[in-house]
C-alpha cells in the first residue's frame, strides 16, 4: 500500500471516529484508484460507514470529504458520486514528490528484510547448447533475483549443471568414434555447439542402426514375442526405441559402458569427459555474458549426484522412505503421485535423490529462508514430490521451497525439438534479434552518422531489449510464442518502444539549458496528462512489491510499457521546452527526467540496457 493510500485510510478511520463516534476497522476503509470518468486520484468507499453513521452514503461522503480536506494537507478537494468519495490530491504534493525523487536512487528500493532467498535458474545439461526455453528461464531467474533484491531480500543466484549421466556419454561416444580429434579451436565452433553436434550425430547414427536392425531376424523375433494385440510393426518399433537402446543397441551398450567407466572413476574416460565438459561450460559462459547474467554459486551434478545417501538413510529410519532390495521408494499417493523411486533397483541414484541431497547441502551452506527453482512446467510433479518428501523429513527449509514453473516458448513456425537437431539455439536467436534491430535502425537512419562501434552497441542494446522484454512481459506461467520481428517493432508493446521513450527524453534534456529546478515546485496548474504521469511514477514501489511477492517480473515490464506510453502521450499533448510558463517548463523537465530515471531503473531490473540514441 502506498503512503498516500495509508494516510487517506487513516484519515477515513479518524473522520469516522470524530464525526460519528464510530470505530471503523482500517480494513473496511477501502481506498481505490479513482475511475477514469470521474475527477480524482483516490476514491474512498463510503458504504461500510452507513450502518455505523446511520446516514445516507452521499451525505457521509460529503461530511468525510470536508473532514479530509480540512485535516489532510495532501487533499485539495473532493466530489461525491453515490457512495464513492473521490479525492483530488493537491498539486503541491505531486510537485514536491517529483522534486524529492527525481534523482533518488532509493526510490523503488525497500529496506533490508533480513530474508535470504536462493534463486536457482538456467541449470542446463552439458550435452547440448542453450535453447529458446533456457532463454526464458534465464531471463526470469535474473529479473526475479533483481526484483527480490529491490524488495529488500538478500539473493543468492545459483545453478546446478547436470554434467553427468547417459546423455553426455552419448556425445562422448560420438566424438570418440567419428570426431577425428575435433576441438573448438580446430573447427572454429563454440564448445557447446561442438558437443551438441556430436550429441545429434549420435542420435542420427543410432537411428540408422535402429532402422537397419529392424530388418534383422532378431527384430522379427522380438516383434513376434512382444508386440501387443493389434499393434502394427511401425507402432511397435516406434514405442520400442528406448528398450532397443538398453537391450540390443551396440551404440547404446557403448554409451552405457562409458557411463559405467565414468562412475568407476576410469582415468581415460574422466579425461575425455572433463575436456568435453569444459568446452560446453565455456560455451555456456559466453551465452550468459551475451545475456548479461551471472551466478553467485554454481553446483555440478558430478559433485552432488551421490549426496542423497545420508538424507535417504534418515528417511528410511523415519519411515518416510521404504526399501525393497536396493530400491528405495516413497509413497506419494496422498498428493496424487503414486509410488516414486528414489534409488533404482541397481542401487543407482535418480534425479530426485540428487535434488534431495543438493537442497540440504545448499541450506547448510547458505541458510536460506526461501529457495526458488526456476524450472519449466513439465517438471511440476517432480518438484511437488521433492518438496513433499523434504516436508515429511522435517527439513527446516521445506516450507520455503517454491517452484517457479514457466510455460514453453514456441516460435511462430511451431515447436522445435532438440533430438532432431532442429533446436532453436539461444545464440542463433540472439544473433537474429540483433540483426532485426540493425535492419530497423538502418531504415530509420537516426544513428547512421555515429562511428561503427557506437552503432553496434546501440543495435545490440535494442536487439537484446526486444528479446528480453517480449519474453518477460508475459506471465511466467503462460505458454507463449516468441516472434522476433514483432519484438523489435517500435510501435508495439516492446522493449524498443520503452527505450524510445527514454531516448526521446534524453534528447529533450540535451536541448534544455540549465533551468531552475526549484521553480518546478512552484508550478500549480497540473494538467491531466501530467497528473497521470506523476501518479504512475508514484506507483513504482508498489509494482516492485507485487512483482516480488508474486515472483512475476511481467508486472515490472508492463508497468514500464504503460509509463512509456503515458510519456509519449504527454509529450504529444504538452510543450516542454516551449511551455507556457517558466514553472511549467521547469516542472515538465523534472517530470521527464524522473520518467527517464524510473524507466531505466525498471528496465535494469529486467536486465535491459537503455541506449541514449536510437
Ligand atoms: N538440468 C535439468 C533439465 O535441463 C533441470 C534442472 C533443474 N533443477 C533442479 N534442481 N532439478 O531438465
Amino acid at each position: 500500500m502506498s503512503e498516500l493510500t495509508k494516510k487517506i485510510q487513516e484519515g477515513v478511520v479518524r473522520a469516522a471516529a470524530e464525526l460519528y463516534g464510530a470505530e471503523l476497522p482500517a480494513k473496511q476503509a477501502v481506498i481505490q484508484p479513482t475511475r477514469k470518468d470521474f475527477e480524482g486520484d483516490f476514491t474512498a468507499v463510503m458504504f461500510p460507514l452507513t450502518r455505523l453513521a446511520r446516514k445516507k452514503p452521499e451525505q457521509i461522503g460529503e461530511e468525510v470529504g470536508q473532514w479530509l480536506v480540512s485535516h489532510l494537507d495532501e487533499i485539495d478537494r473532493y466530489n461525491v458520486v453515490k457512495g464513492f468519495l473521490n479525492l483530488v490530491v493537491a498539486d503541491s504534493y505531486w510537485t514536491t514528490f517529483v522534486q524529492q525523487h527525481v534523482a533518488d536512487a532509493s526510490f523503488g528500493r525497500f529496506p533490508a528484510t533480513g530474508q535470504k532467498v536462493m534463486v536457482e535458474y538456467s541449470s542446463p545439461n552439458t550435452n547440448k547448447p542453450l535453447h529458446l526455453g533456457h532463454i526464458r528461464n534465464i531471463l526470469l531467474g535474473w529479473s526475479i533475483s533483481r526484483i527480490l533484491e529491490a524488495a529488500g531480500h538478500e539473493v543468492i543466484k545459483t545453478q546446478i549443471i547436470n554434467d553427468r549421466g547417459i546423455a553426455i556419454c552419448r556425445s562422448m561416444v560420438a566424438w570418440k568414434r567419428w570426431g577425428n580429434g575435433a576441438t573448438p579451436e580446430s573447427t572454429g565452433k563454440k564448445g557447446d555447439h561442438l558437443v551438441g553436434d556430436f550429441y545429434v550425430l549420435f542420435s542420427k547414427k543410432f537411428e540408422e542402426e535402429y532402422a537397419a536392425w529392424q530388418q534383422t531376424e532378431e527384430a522379427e523375433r522380438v516383434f513376434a514375442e512382444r508386440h501387443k494385440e493389434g499393434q502394427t510393426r511401425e507402432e511397435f518399433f516406434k514405442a520400442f526405441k528406448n528398450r532397443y537402446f538398453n537391450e540390443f543397441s551396440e551404440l547404446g551398450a557403448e554409451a552405457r559402458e562409458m557411463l559405467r567407466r565414468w562412475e568407476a572413476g576410469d582415468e581415460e574416460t574422466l579425461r575425455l569427459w572433463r575436456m568435453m565438459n569444459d568446452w560446453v561450460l565455456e560455451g555456456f559462459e559466453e551465452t550468459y555474458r551475451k545475456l548479461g547474467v551471472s551466478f553467485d554459486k554454481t553446483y555440478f551434478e558430478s559433485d552432488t549426484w551421490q549426496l542423497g545417501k545420508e538424507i535417504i538413510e534418515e528417511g528410511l529410519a523415519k519411515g518416510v522412505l521404504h526399501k525393497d532390495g536396493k530400491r528405495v521408494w516413497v509413497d506419494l499417493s496422498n498428493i496424487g503421485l503414486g509410488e516414486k523411486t528414489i534409488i533404482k533397483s541397481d542401487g543407482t541414484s535418480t534425479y530426485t535423490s540428487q535434488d534431495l541431497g543438493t537442497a540440504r547441502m545448499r541450506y547448510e551452506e547458505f541458510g536460506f529462508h526461501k529457495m526458488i527453482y526456476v524450472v519449466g512446467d513439465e517438471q511440476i510433479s517432480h518438484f511437488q514430490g521433492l518438496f513433499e518428501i523434504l516436508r515429511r523429513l522435517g527439513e527446516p527449509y521445506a516450507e520455503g521451497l517454491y517452484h517457479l514453473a514457466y510455460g514453453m516458448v514456441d516460435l511462430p513456425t511451431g515447436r522445435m525439438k532438440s533430438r532432431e537437431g532442429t533446436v532453436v539455439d539461444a545464440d542463433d536467436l540472439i544473433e537474429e534479434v540483433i540483426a532485426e534491430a540493425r535492419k530497423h535502425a538502418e531504415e530509420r537512419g537516426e544513428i547512421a552518422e555515429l562511428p561503427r562501434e557506437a552503432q553496434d552497441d546501440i543495435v545490440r542494446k535494442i536487439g537484446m531489449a526486444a528479446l528480453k522484454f517480449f519474453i518477460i512481459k508475459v506471465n511466467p506461467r503462460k505458454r507463449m510464442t516468441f516472434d522476433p520481428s514483432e519484438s523489435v517493432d517500435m510501435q508495439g508493446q516492446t522493449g524498443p518502444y520503452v527505450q524510445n521513450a527514454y531516448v526521446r527524453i534524453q534528447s529533450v534534456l540535451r536541448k534544455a539549458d540549465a533551468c531552475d529546478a526549484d521553480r518546478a515546485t512552484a508550478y500549480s496548474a497540473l494538467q491531466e496528462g501530467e497528473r497521470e504521469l506523476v501518479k504512475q511514477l508514484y506507483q513504482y514501489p508498489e509494482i516492485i512489491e507485487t512483482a516480488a511477492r508474486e515472483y512475476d517480473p511481467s508486472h515490472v515490464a508492463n508497468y514500464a510499457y504503460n509509463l512509456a506510453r503515458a510519456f509519449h502521450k504527454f509529450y504529444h499533448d504538452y510543450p516542454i521546452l516551449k511551455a507556457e510558463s517558466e514553472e511549467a517548463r521547469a516542472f515538465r523537465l523534472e517530470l521527464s527526467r524522473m520518467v527517464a530515471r524510473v524507466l531505466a531503473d525498471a528496465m535494469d531490473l529486467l536486465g535491459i540496457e537503455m541506449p541514449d540514441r536510437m
Side-chain angles (χ1 to χ4, degrees):
M1 195 191 294
S2 76
E3 195 193 324
L4 259 181
T5 320
K6 217 175 288 166
K7 273 204 176 139
I8 295 169
Q9 191 178 58
E10 283 164 13
V12 172
V13 171
R14 274 177 55 209
E18 284 187 21
L19 294 170
Y20 314 117
E23 218 172 284
L24 182 72
K27 262 205 179 134
Q28 287 186 31
V30 178
I31 313 298
Q32 53 201 28
T34 301
R35 294 234 320 257
K36 280 262 183 284
D37 18 347
F38 303 115
E39 193 205 15
D41 300 311
F42 294 94
T43 294
V45 185
M46 293 293 109
F47 298 106
L49 271 163
T50 46
R51 208 174 37 84
L52 301 169
R54 293 167 196 284
K55 289 182 177 177
K56 287 209 175 91
E58 290 86 341
Q59 196 185 342
I60 300 173
E62 285 294 334
E63 291 168 1
V64 174
Q66 269 167 30
W67 192 96
L68 290 174
V69 168
S70 54
H71 288 81
L72 297 184
D73 291 342
E74 294 85 356
I75 304 302
D76 187 60
R77 54 190 191 276
Y78 70 90
N79 62 78
V80 181
V81 179
K82 303 247 171 64
F84 297 98
L85 169 59
N86 302 323
L87 300 160
V88 181
V89 174
D91 288 357
S92 61
Y93 182 86
W94 294 130
T95 55
T96 310
F97 164 75
V98 171
Q99 190 200 30
Q100 280 173 349
H101 297 293
V102 63
D104 173 11
S106 68
F107 182 64
R109 293 294 175 278
F110 289 76
T113 59
Q115 283 251 330
K116 234 186 231 189
V117 188
M118 206 153 184
V119 179
E120 190 214 272
Y121 65 97
S122 189
S123 294
N125 305 333
T126 52
N127 58 308
K128 48 184 183 244
L130 303 174
H131 56 72
L132 178 53
H134 286 112
I135 291 191
R136 188 174 199 188
N137 182 317
I138 291 167
L139 299 181
L140 282 172
W142 177 261
S143 55
I144 201 60
S145 297
R146 295 296 318 277
I147 290 166
L148 289 169
E149 274 167 2
H153 305 306
E154 185 189 333
V155 174
I156 304 133
K157 301 185 292 296
T158 189
Q159 65 176 333
I160 179 151
I161 299 199
N162 295 103
D163 59 350
R164 51 145 257 122
I166 195 72
I168 178 85
C169 290
R170 290 173 184 238
S171 301
M172 284 158 67
V173 166
W175 186 87
K176 247 182 118 170
R177 274 197 174 217
W178 305 293
N180 296 318
T183 66
E185 291 74 39
S186 76
T187 56
K189 277 189 199 167
K190 202 162 159 274
D192 50 337
H193 291 210
L194 181 67
V195 173
D197 287 350
F198 282 110
Y199 185 75
V200 172
L201 181 63
F202 182 96
S203 298
K204 195 174 142 244
K205 297 279 187 185
F206 171 72
E207 291 296 340
E208 285 166 16
E209 188 199 273
Y210 189 36
W213 180 77
Q214 285 169 40
Q215 309 307 318
T216 64
E217 275 172 29
E218 186 176 45
E220 233 18 82
R221 206 169 50 245
V222 167
F223 173 70
E225 281 168 11
R226 304 202 198 179
H227 82 276
K228 284 193 215 96
E229 186 79 30
Q231 208 176 18
T232 65
R233 258 184 75 92
E234 204 185 328
E235 283 163 356
F236 173 78
F237 284 118
K238 206 171 162 208
F240 193 67
K241 206 193 293 190
N242 266 336
R243 305 208 46 183
Y244 169 76
F245 180 87
N246 287 318
E247 294 177 31
F248 301 92
S249 167
E250 201 184 311
L251 284 171
E254 227 174 290
R256 265 177 293 131
E257 174 60 11
M258 189 74 95
L259 182 59
R260 197 196 58 75
R261 290 205 191 145
W262 186 93
E263 290 185 358
D266 172 61
E267 236 341 287
E268 198 198 316
T269 307
L270 284 176
R271 216 175 306 125
L272 174 61
W273 170 76
R274 234 174 264 126
M275 180 179 77
M276 293 184 73
N277 245 341
D278 286 349
W279 293 343
V280 174
L281 296 180
E282 253 165 59
F284 287 169
E285 272 310 314
E286 196 181 319
T287 308
Y288 289 153
R289 260 198 308 279
K290 280 192 257 179
L291 288 169
V293 302
S294 60
F295 299 88
D296 302 307
K297 170 91 193 187
T298 292
Y299 293 88
F300 295 92
E301 190 189 331
S302 54
D303 296 326
T304 63
W305 65 296
Q306 285 173 309
L307 262 187
K309 297 257 155 73
E310 189 184 323
I311 199 166
I312 286 165
E313 286 308 319
E314 282 176 34
L316 289 168
K318 284 185 180 166
V320 172
L321 305 178
H322 312 283
K323 203 167 184 173
D324 291 330
K326 283 188 186 169
R327 175 170 176 263
V328 176
W329 56 277
V330 59
D331 179 8
L332 294 176
S333 48
N334 68 320
I335 55 168
L337 295 178
E339 240 183 51
K340 198 174 170 78
T341 301
I342 310 292
I343 295 290
K344 288 184 229 157
S345 49
D346 62 359
T348 54
S349 56
T350 60
Y351 189 47
T352 304
S353 68
Q354 179 268 126
D355 255 337
L356 288 169
T358 307
R360 180 181 276 189
M361 178 160 105
R362 285 173 171 167
Y363 180 71
E364 281 168 358
E365 219 171 324
F366 292 99
F368 55 80
H369 300 89
K370 287 229 150 75
M371 173 149 64
I372 299 160
Y373 294 89
V374 183
V375 182
D377 58 11
E378 70 280 2
Q379 294 194 26
I380 286 178
S381 57
H382 165 71
F383 285 102
Q384 280 172 346
L386 181 70
F387 298 168
E388 172 70 10
I389 299 167
L390 289 166
R391 238 190 319 268
R392 288 193 205 165
L393 284 165
E395 294 289 279
Y397 50 88
E399 296 303 329
L401 300 172
Y402 183 77
H403 175 199
L404 178 49
Y406 60 89
M408 202 187 313
V409 192
D410 302 299
L411 282 187
T413 40
R415 192 190 171 194
M416 316 233 174
K417 287 213 207 91
S418 67
R419 288 288 173 114
E420 280 94 33
T422 51
V423 65
V424 187
D425 183 272
D427 298 307
D428 293 347
L429 202 67
I430 291 170
E431 293 291 305
E432 191 182 331
V433 282
I434 293 176
E436 267 311 315
R438 189 179 304 279
K439 206 175 76 192
H440 283 245
E442 277 164 8
E443 278 165 21
R444 287 194 302 272
E446 295 279 340
I447 57 171
E449 81 288 4
L450 293 180
R452 187 81 224 169
E453 241 172 69
Q455 286 190 38
D456 285 349
D457 188 54
I458 291 172
V459 161
R460 180 189 59 81
K461 282 179 179 161
I462 299 173
M464 293 309 287
L467 174 65
K468 293 181 176 185
F469 194 89
F470 205 84
I471 289 179
I472 300 177
K473 75 174 179 179
V474 181
N475 176 297
R477 258 162 264 283
K478 292 205 180 112
R479 184 170 177 156
M480 64 168 296
T481 300
F482 176 70
D483 186 334
S485 71
E486 203 184 315
S487 76
V488 297
D489 181 0
M490 267 223 297
Q491 311 306 324
Q493 198 173 336
T494 64
Y497 177 87
V498 179
Q499 287 179 319
N500 190 35
Y502 177 87
V503 164
R504 187 169 250 182
I505 296 170
Q506 298 312 308
S507 131
V508 173
L509 294 176
R510 270 197 298 271
K511 283 182 219 140
D513 38 11
C515 81
D516 187 357
D518 283 344
R519 284 219 156 155
T521 46
Y523 181 55
S524 59
L526 229 60
Q527 309 287 304
E528 202 185 302
E530 296 168 326
R531 206 168 251 280
E532 184 49 40
L533 210 44
V534 188
K535 278 199 287 191
Q536 286 200 21
L537 288 171
Y538 187 76
Q539 282 171 4
Y540 185 48
E542 271 181 275
I543 298 292
I544 290 183
E545 206 174 28
T546 307
R549 190 180 53 243
E550 295 179 8
Y551 304 123
D552 182 358
S554 72
H555 289 293
V556 175
N558 291 307
Y559 169 80
Y561 171 74
N562 288 327
L563 183 59
R565 200 174 56 169
F567 180 79
H568 283 308
K569 183 166 165 31
F570 160 82
Y571 180 84
H572 177 265
D573 291 348
Y574 306 94
I576 301 178
L577 295 170
K578 296 201 173 93
E580 58 277 16
S581 69
E582 263 308 303
E583 286 76 20
R585 180 173 183 275
F587 177 70
R588 284 176 200 158
L589 279 169
E590 291 297 275
L591 182 59
S592 305
R593 205 188 302 277
M594 184 163 172
V595 170
R597 221 198 64 74
V598 170
L599 283 178
D601 192 73
M603 295 290 264
D604 181 50
L605 292 180
L606 309 179
I608 298 174
E609 298 170 84
M610 292 294 205
D612 285 322
R613 308 183 51 177
M614 68 194 288

